[in-house]
Amino acid sequence: MAAVTKGAWAALLAAAVGALCLVLEGVAPWLWKFPAAWVLPATEWVGAGLEWFLALIKPAARGFSALMFYPMDWANALLSHTPWPLLIAATAALGWILGGLPMALMVLVGLGFVLASGYWPESMNTLALVAVSVPLALILGGGIGILANEMPRLRKPVQAVLDVMQTVPTFAYLTPLLVLFGFGPVVGLIASAIYAAPPMARNVLLGLERVEPEIKEAAVMAGGTRFQQLFQCEIPSAGQQIMVGVNQCLMAALSMVIIAAVIGGFDDIGWEVLLTMRKAQFGQSLLAGLVIVVFAILIDRMSGTLTQDRRKRHDRRVAWGILGAGVLATLVLWDSAQAPGRYALFDPVADQVDAGLSAWTTAHAATLTAVKNSVMFYVLLPLRIGLDQSVLPFTWGFSWTPAMSLGLFAAGGVAAVACALRGRLALGLLLLIAAGVLETGISQLPWPFVLAGAGALAWVAGGRSLALMTVILLTTILVSGLWERALLSLYLSGAAVFACAVLGGGIGLLSAVSPMAWRIVRPICDMLQTIPLFVFLIPVLMVFQIGEFSAFLAIIAYAIVPMIRYTRHGLTATPEEMIEAATAAGATRWQMLKDIRAPYAAPSILLGLNQTILYAFAMLVIAALIGTTGLGQSIYLALGQADVGLGISAGAAMAILALIADRMVQGFAEERRRALGL
């Protein structure tokens, strides 16, 4: 009852503030649009301060950039001039050692596809960046994790910094780096190392924290120094968790290298994707994107074997045999081995894809346009600007009137009263608030209502401290002049997250009750999780062209996987004793799912929702490449203009939104865990 009362008070506060804003709309327009005179020049202040700071360290940064050029150039020369049969054989031999015949065959097929795509030289340039950035990220992340473990006072600040780095959009990293290091591949290298370091730091710290006390005590009793205890006992004991960090570090580095091609492209595979997308050569763009997917899958699977506690040992003589076969193939195919670009076997296929796509989109233009317009006019546009502005004769066939607004609010009020009479006051008030949001539109909401509503929700989720933090952080966005763009980002990411929750939750539910469905869904989820963000733009652009609807679909495709996985995991992880008790009580399958499995799965489902929110904000900035508005567009424009102030301010605003959502969902998940006694 206490929780319901708390939620009801929070909803009542938000509803009261919203009603007050509606009543005072005519006499106090500043409640709806924050006055420009009250806006602080925060972007200019941030830009001036950062430019002063960056100017101080620019000589050292440029020196470091020049220094890093050498290992990158050496790695590039090594990979580019190694004959392709020898490189494929060496990688297949490594695959045999790590995973046996299936892994070796996967390497041969994957790298064979890369060779046949005609993008072998560009792929080697990308791998050269990864080969240099990953060791940097491992050293940086590992050092941070060890430092935080050795100095407990630093753990909370380090965790806070890692949280911020996880929520700051990837493009926001590039703007100050662009000023420091200029254009070129070194920028991509450094950005990749910075972006990939937090996963390593988190896993190193987590692994060291989980080392058994008995192991630490044994090392102390053996008389080892602190250095010996750490590197000879604790780090080896945490090796499995640390290798998880290595796996995540590799994937993050590959993803960021592709993104960094926007400012540092030097004929690598990321640049090819971006260039072919700009030219609307979707067949070639898809082919280059598939090359990235192949590398992502190979890196993920090969490094993933290192996280296994017990790996099957494979005969090293077979690996030497594979390598010898590669040497022999290199000698036999010496001339062709020096020119891998001639094996562009899929170019005709890419051309046919372009031609077939053009023919298909032309033949189905009416249907595609109808789908796109239906979602835009009847779903996205009302959410964005409200029913009172989106319902027009050329979209809905009639105009929205004030009487309709009154009717909508009356219906919401009736629903609220009905719910209150049944003891569900909080639900009733939420329905009334939803009616007001739908009538007004998310991007048009009055700022006092947003502050009050977000603060009240944070109070329910995490208490006064979270509510205070939420209001303060949102106020910084308000006074910085980024409020309207923040609401636009909130609208699109919120719509995508809601779609992911419905679709992903449904697919996760189906996968939980049907093992056959999970066998089909699981490989699709595995593939989607290994695809870098950039590649998600290609298929939606191929069909629906540039626009907000394409961005909406790309965000859903990227962010839906955590919702599917965590929903399925939560529903299948119910303790056996609870299932047996429900079965003994005569519960039907539906009752067991609704009353036993679903409540127990709530914390896991909320964790999936949390990850989906973070994924949606991450993809929102990438989607700015294909026509979205809001903070993502501001970050992308700042990158093109080298505007450090705007890039950092917009990136910080998006990080604030993601951080607030993250803390709220974690708060609700923790409440559910306490209720379940977990």
Side-chain angles (χ1 to χ4, degrees), residues 379-380 383 442 489-501 552 556:
V379 179
L380 295 181
L383 285 175
I442 295 175
S489 296
L490 188 63
Y491 133 75
L492 187 57
S493 58
V497 167
F498 180 79
C500 288
F552 176 67
I556 292 174

Side-chain angles (χ1 to χ4, degrees), residues 616-627:
F617 276 108
M619 191 64 191
L620 191 62
V621 184
I622 308 300
L625 292 169
I626 58 175

